[in-house]
Amino acid sequence: MPRTVFHVDQAKSMREQAMPGHNRWHPDIPAVAEVRPGEEFRVECKDWTDGQVRDDDSADDIRDMVLDHNHMLSGPIAVAGAEPGDLLVVDYLDIGPAHTVDRGKGEQAGQGWGYTGIFARDNGGGFLTDHYPEAGKAVWDFHGRFATSRHLPGVRIASNIHPGLAGCAPSAELLATWNRREQALIDTDPHRVPPLALPPLETNSLLGSLTGAERDRAAREGARTVPPREHGGNVDIKNLGIGSRVYYPVYVPGAKFSIGDLHFAQGDGEISFCGAVEMGGHVDIGVDLIKGGMRAYNATTPIFRPGRQEPRYTEFVSFVGISVDESGDQHYMNATVAYRRACLQAIAHLEQFGYTGRQAYLILCAAPVEGRISGIVDIPNACCSLYLPTEIFDFDIRPDADGPVAVDRGDCARAS
């Protein structure tokens, strides 16, 4: 096993760790360790909510979650010799869930279980929040590389385990650019629920080992970790699993690489915002450098090579959406509208077999569905498609002449 450069006690908050991580992006957060090009090492991670979600049958924890506390990242980790303009080469050698001492089921996500959530519209929201504005949750039990949920009977998914969030620290100039352009977007509709973007917020910020005035300044400036940006960040790409190689742009000396938000499984889009099977765990990483790689490859965002460890399903039922919204209004080549309509069509299909809409929504989040832009040139409609693997169900969801058979499949966990 490679040496652990960032250790996490899963029973403690990230704030209580001997070596605290961070939940904001800022170039001045000190590195917690240094590794060298060619080295392999282990990083341990809390689940992205830092233990706010419980293994129970209530979604009150999702409804009441403190969101500005979230995305607790492990790091930053300095890479010797890394300079702005380089590409940091990161190999994801192995990824696994956290465990209790006896390898049984524990109290923290990753210790034999994980969760998928639907955020309430007024506290986070999600891709389909106008249709499902109330909180919901499914708890998944891990069985090796598979997972089942008491809240979603009839479903068994294979793991495509991966980190949802990773990247190098931004430079001061890049950080200022992020904050400026995102605030300009917020200003176009400052009272929108959910908001258009999340500005810096000192409340509940964690900036590693920074203290005093330096900590206060970084808290006022630090970018929230919710979106993907030029450095990578919260890309939530399900194909970045074991065996993947990612080339991350370097913006500060030492690169200051951080990682977190581990997922046991996820579909394309992670559509509910808490839409993966979330967990704490560990990542084994190898690093190298391509000196001057950003200029050499004209790289302004990460480049990656997918691994070959992800599950491969062969049978699908696919659903199509176009750029016509639920009210019947036409949009011009709007792929977001089109993918939303594909998702809603898939949910309507699963409801005919006895799932509630919320259960179906959670299935599309956590299962390894394939989302595709199938047509982007035929005005006025973009065409998006969602491929739902039939093999995850213990019954046949394919349309046939006999019609669907609906049975009582209960419901997901709901808020009180």
Side-chain angles (χ1 to χ4, degrees), residues 308-328:
R308 298 183 178 180
Q309 297 280 323
E310 60 184 310
R312 293 293 182 183
Y313 289 100
T314 58
E315 297 290 337
F316 300 86
V317 172
S318 301
F319 304 90
V320 171
I322 59 174
S323 305
V324 177
D325 67 25
E326 296 89 313
S327 299

Side-chain angles (χ1 to χ4, degrees), residues 403-415:
V405 177
V407 301
D408 183 1
R409 302 187 190 278
D411 201 354
C412 64
R414 303 281 296 273

Side-chain angles (χ1 to χ4, degrees), residues 191-227:
H191 303 297
R192 184 180 186 272
V193 178
L196 290 171
L198 300 172
L201 182 66
E202 188 171 358
T203 304
N204 290 315
S205 61
L206 179 62
L207 286 305
S209 59
L210 280 181
T211 58
E214 287 187 332
R215 185 263 173 209
D216 294 343
R217 176 182 55 81
R220 292 191 298 269
E221 299 171 349
R224 306 283 286 279
T225 56
V226 172

Side-chain angles (χ1 to χ4, degrees), residues 352-375:
Q352 305 312 305
F353 295 91
Y355 291 112
T356 66
R358 287 182 180 81
Q359 285 177 305
Y361 188 9
L362 289 163
I363 291 169
L364 298 188
C365 296
V369 302
E370 301 284 341
R372 303 179 186 178
I373 297 178
S374 300

Side-chain angles (χ1 to χ4, degrees), residues 4 6-12 14 17 44-46 74 281:
T4 299
F6 194 98
H7 173 68
V8 163
D9 182 342
Q10 293 292 338
K12 297 180 179 179
M14 184 63 85
Q17 303 293 327
E44 296 176 348
C45 303
K46 288 283 290 184
S74 297

Side-chain angles (χ1 to χ4, degrees), residues 35-377:
V35 297
R36 303 192 65 80
E39 188 172 351
E40 298 178 0
F41 54 94
R42 173 167 290 193
V43 176
E44 296 176 348
C45 303
K46 288 283 290 184
D47 86 284
W48 80 292
T49 73
D50 199 28
Q52 294 190 65
V53 179
R54 298 176 295 276
D55 177 7
D56 62 19
D57 299 323
S58 168
D60 288 0
D61 47 10
I62 301 292
R63 181 196 62 196
D64 302 332
M65 187 175 294
V66 181
L67 292 177
D68 53 33
H69 174 82
N70 285 353
H71 276 153
M72 286 297 181
L73 303 180
S74 297
I77 298 159
V79 179
E83 299 173 305
D86 295 344
L87 286 176
L88 178 65
V89 183
V90 175
D91 288 314
Y92 292 121
L93 305 174
D94 196 18
I95 309 170
H99 291 287
T100 54
V101 174
D102 61 358
R103 300 280 172 160
K105 196 173 181 181
E107 294 184 357
Q108 299 297 312
Q111 296 180 325
W113 63 279
Y115 62 89
T116 305
I118 300 171
F119 280 130
R121 186 177 186 274
D122 58 358
N123 191 35
F127 190 50
L128 303 180
T129 195
D130 290 338
H131 296 268
Y132 300 100
E134 297 177 358
K137 182 177 74 177
V139 174
W140 299 86
D141 293 317
F142 299 162
H143 313 283
R145 288 295 186 182
F146 292 87
T148 59
S149 173
R150 62 185 181 272
H151 299 122
L152 304 170
V155 175
R156 179 176 182 260
I157 60 174
S159 174
N160 53 11
I161 196 166
H162 60 279
L165 198 164
C168 300
S171 65
E173 294 77 15
L174 183 58
L175 174 61
T177 296
W178 292 350
N179 288 337
R180 182 173 59 253
R181 73 188 183 198
E182 291 172 24
Q183 186 60 55
L185 177 62
I186 293 169
D187 290 344
T188 65
D189 190 359
H191 303 297
R192 184 180 186 272
V193 178
L196 290 171
L198 300 172
L201 182 66
E202 188 171 358
T203 304
N204 290 315
S205 61
L206 179 62
L207 286 305
S209 59
L210 280 181
T211 58
E214 287 187 332
R215 185 263 173 209
D216 294 343
R217 176 182 55 81
R220 292 191 298 269
E221 299 171 349
R224 306 283 286 279
T225 56
V226 172
R229 297 185 179 96
E230 288 88 341
H231 69 150
N234 195 27
V235 295
D236 289 318
I237 299 173
K238 68 180 177 60
N239 308 98
L240 295 184
I242 298 170
S244 297
R245 170 171 286 188
V246 190
Y247 305 84
Y248 290 100
V250 175
Y251 300 99
V252 298
K256 290 188 174 180
F257 178 78
S258 299
I259 191 168
D261 188 25
L262 302 188
H263 299 162
F264 185 84
Q266 182 202 295
D268 280 338
E270 200 198 12
I271 57 177
S272 77
F273 181 32
C274 186
V277 179
E278 307 284 352
M279 69 172 199
H282 68 269
V283 188
D284 292 344
I285 294 171
V287 294
D288 210 336
L289 291 171
I290 298 178
K291 302 300 293 181
M294 288 180 67
R295 181 175 181 180
Y297 291 98
N298 197 25
T300 57
T301 54
I303 303 167
F304 74 95
R305 293 158 51 185
R308 298 183 178 180
Q309 297 280 323
E310 60 184 310
R312 293 293 182 183
Y313 289 100
T314 58
E315 297 290 337
F316 300 86
V317 172
S318 301
F319 304 90
V320 171
I322 59 174
S323 305
V324 177
D325 67 25
E326 296 89 313
S327 299
D329 292 336
Q330 180 73 59
H331 297 256
Y332 178 75
M333 303 305 292
N334 191 318
T336 300
V337 170
Y339 194 57
R340 184 171 72 237
R341 296 304 304 275
C343 292
L344 291 170
Q345 184 63 46
I347 288 171
H349 183 83
L350 291 177
E351 286 178 316
Q352 305 312 305
F353 295 91
Y355 291 112
T356 66
R358 287 182 180 81
Q359 285 177 305
Y361 188 9
L362 289 163
I363 291 169
L364 298 188
C365 296
V369 302
E370 301 284 341
R372 303 179 186 178
I373 297 178
S374 300
I376 202 68
V377 296

